[in-house]
Amino acid sequence: MYKHSTQQQRRNQIETLYNAGITKGVDICQRTSIPKQTVYRVLNQIKDKKSLQHKRGAGRPSKIKANDKRRIAALYQSNPRTSLRSILPRLSSPVSISTLHAQVKRQNFVSKRAVRVPALTDLHISKRIAWCKEMKCFDWSKTFFTDECSVWLDSGRVNMWIKKGQTVHLPTFRHPSKVHLWGGISIMRTTHLRIFTENFNQVVYISTLRECLIEEANAKYGDSWVLQEDNSPVHTGSAAKGWKTEFVPLRIDWPPNSPDLAPIENLWAVLKRRLIVLHPKTVSQLKQAIQDIWATFDPDFLRPFCTSMPKRIRLCLDNAGKKINY
């Protein structure tokens, strides 16, 4: 397609010069970088009043038969993990793996890294549907969406500009340092961010809520704010539940295996992408970079995340309770 486009541009360029009075091939060659043979061929077409538009020819016959093309499409639609080499023996005529690869691309299949997501059982799906129906008209304006995540030092894909043939090695550690984060967002603001390295248990969780959320949420919304959290055992343990009964006004019963419904998951993704650009080299730099990025999340930036809940619920119901791409 690109080759044909370039050829057509050359024909148009020659025709434009010809119509402008530059009719000699040598003059056109001097004004353009078009090969001499091409110039004279196109000039002859113009003089003979032939069309300069590309005509699709028969071309070389495809080595892959029509029934094999349909078989390839069916195999990938039924099992996207099918490898090219496993398809070769199933074809009626032998072809090279490069020919097969070109045919697969021609059918608009592309190779992408699979994104691992929590497995949803039939019970999970039914609970997600019931939850979405119940929460369709919920007012999310006073909800704090909270979660934890981990960040590794020097993690993520790193792209570099290098000369062709050059190899650049990026040193990595067998056990890279990491930090854990707890944070929350609402339409109006972020909570205080807690960065820690110890194991996250119920004691740590209770102290985190007390220090990073309770006072600020009460000051903003009184006793009408809502806590959203997932079903981690740290959140649902007896000690944490008992403490929240006393200090948290309202809590949302979150459906199982449903990070796709939680907007803060998308915020963690933003934070990690920005960290890759900063590429901190020490744990101290990593912590400071995280704090700096967190401070940039102002209300205008947070609002679309939090107001996306009605749409997430609608998409989940439209998708019969299965995972949504959000």
Side-chain angles (χ1 to χ4, degrees):
M1 182 63 71
Y2 175 77
K3 179 180 178 182
H4 294 156
S5 175
T6 302
Q7 291 174 347
Q8 188 61 53
Q9 289 174 3
R10 288 175 173 177
R11 296 189 196 102
N12 295 340
Q13 188 177 4
I14 295 169
E15 184 180 28
T16 300
L17 292 173
Y18 183 87
N19 293 334
I22 305 170
T23 58
K24 293 184 179 180
V26 64
D27 294 334
I28 294 176
C29 288
Q30 289 176 353
R31 291 169 177 266
T32 67
S33 59
I34 302 174
K36 182 170 61 175
Q37 296 91 335
T38 302
V39 171
Y40 282 101
R41 185 179 67 253
V42 174
L43 286 176
N44 288 332
Q45 289 177 315
I46 294 174
K47 292 173 184 178
D48 295 339
K49 297 183 178 181
K50 293 182 178 179
S51 173
L52 300 184
Q53 296 301 313
H54 170 71
K55 294 181 180 179
R56 184 175 179 85
R60 186 172 61 182
S62 175
K63 292 183 178 180
I64 300 179
K65 298 180 179 179
N67 61 328
D68 285 334
K69 293 177 182 179
R70 291 191 292 269
R71 182 177 292 113
I72 292 168
L75 286 170
Y76 276 115
Q77 286 169 353
S78 62
N79 181 12
R81 299 180 68 173
T82 303
S83 67
L84 290 173
R85 294 193 181 278
S86 68
I87 292 178
L88 288 174
R90 308 186 193 190
L91 303 181
S92 58
S93 301
V95 297
S96 67
I97 195 163
S98 59
T99 299
L100 175 59
H101 184 236
Q103 177 60 40
V104 170
K105 291 179 66 177
R106 200 171 290 119
Q107 294 191 30
N108 294 324
F109 288 101
V110 294
S111 178
K112 284 191 174 182
R113 181 180 296 179
V115 178
R116 297 186 180 274
V117 298
L120 291 173
T121 65
D122 290 342
L123 179 59
H124 293 157
I125 290 174
S126 65
K127 287 185 175 181
R128 280 164 61 91
I129 293 174
W131 183 87
C132 287
K133 289 180 178 178
E134 181 183 351
M135 304 298 286
K136 281 177 68 173
C137 299
F138 188 79
D139 179 6
W140 299 95
S141 61
K142 298 180 180 180
T143 301
F144 283 90
F145 300 92
T146 66
D147 192 26
E148 305 85 40
C149 79
S150 297
V151 179
W152 280 259
L153 186 65
D154 201 21
S155 62
R157 181 178 298 176
V158 178
N159 295 328
M160 296 182 177
W161 289 98
I162 61 174
K163 289 190 175 181
K164 191 174 182 180
Q166 183 182 3
T167 301
V168 177
H169 297 285
L170 186 66
T172 59
F173 299 95
R174 186 174 181 181
H175 301 291
S177 300
K178 67 177 179 180
V179 296
H180 307 294
L181 313 178
W182 179 94
I185 59 172
S186 69
I187 288 177
M188 296 302 298
R189 65 184 65 196
T190 59
T191 66
H192 295 295
L193 180 68
R194 178 160 187 174
I195 305 176
F196 56 98
T197 55
E198 66 268 35
N199 291 331
F200 195 67
N201 54 35
Q202 293 185 67
V203 174
V204 175
Y205 184 47
I206 291 171
S207 68
T208 299
L209 291 178
R210 181 187 295 114
E211 297 168 11
C212 300
L213 175 63
I214 301 298
E215 183 177 348
E216 184 175 346
N218 287 338
K220 180 64 181 176
Y221 299 116
D223 59 355
S224 61
W225 60 274
V226 183
L227 172 66
Q228 180 275 328
E229 58 187 355
D230 62 23
N231 295 305
S232 165
V234 174
H235 304 158
T236 59
S238 57
K241 286 180 68 175
W243 187 88
K244 286 183 289 186
T245 299
E246 183 175 355
F247 293 99
V248 177
L250 299 168
R251 288 169 290 156
I252 296 174
D253 290 328
W254 199 248
N257 283 15
S258 298
D260 54 325
L261 297 177
I264 194 171
E265 295 287 349
N266 300 93
L267 193 73
W268 291 139
V270 172
L271 185 144
K272 290 178 180 180
R273 285 198 299 270
R274 294 187 182 181
L275 275 175
I276 293 174
V277 177
L278 298 175
H279 50 82
K281 296 178 175 60
T282 65
V283 173
S284 176
Q285 290 179 1
L286 176 64
K287 291 180 178 180
Q288 186 60 54
I290 291 170
Q291 291 282 12
D292 292 343
I293 295 171
W294 190 258
T296 66
F297 296 152
D298 58 27
D300 289 337
F301 182 77
L302 295 173
R303 195 168 294 111
F305 291 88
C306 300
T307 57
S308 68
M309 285 306 300
K311 184 176 181 180
R312 291 172 191 262
I313 289 172
R314 185 174 67 255
L315 289 174
C316 186
L317 290 173
D318 291 344
N319 203 31
K322 297 178 182 177
K323 181 188 178 299
I324 62 172
N325 294 321
Y326 206 103

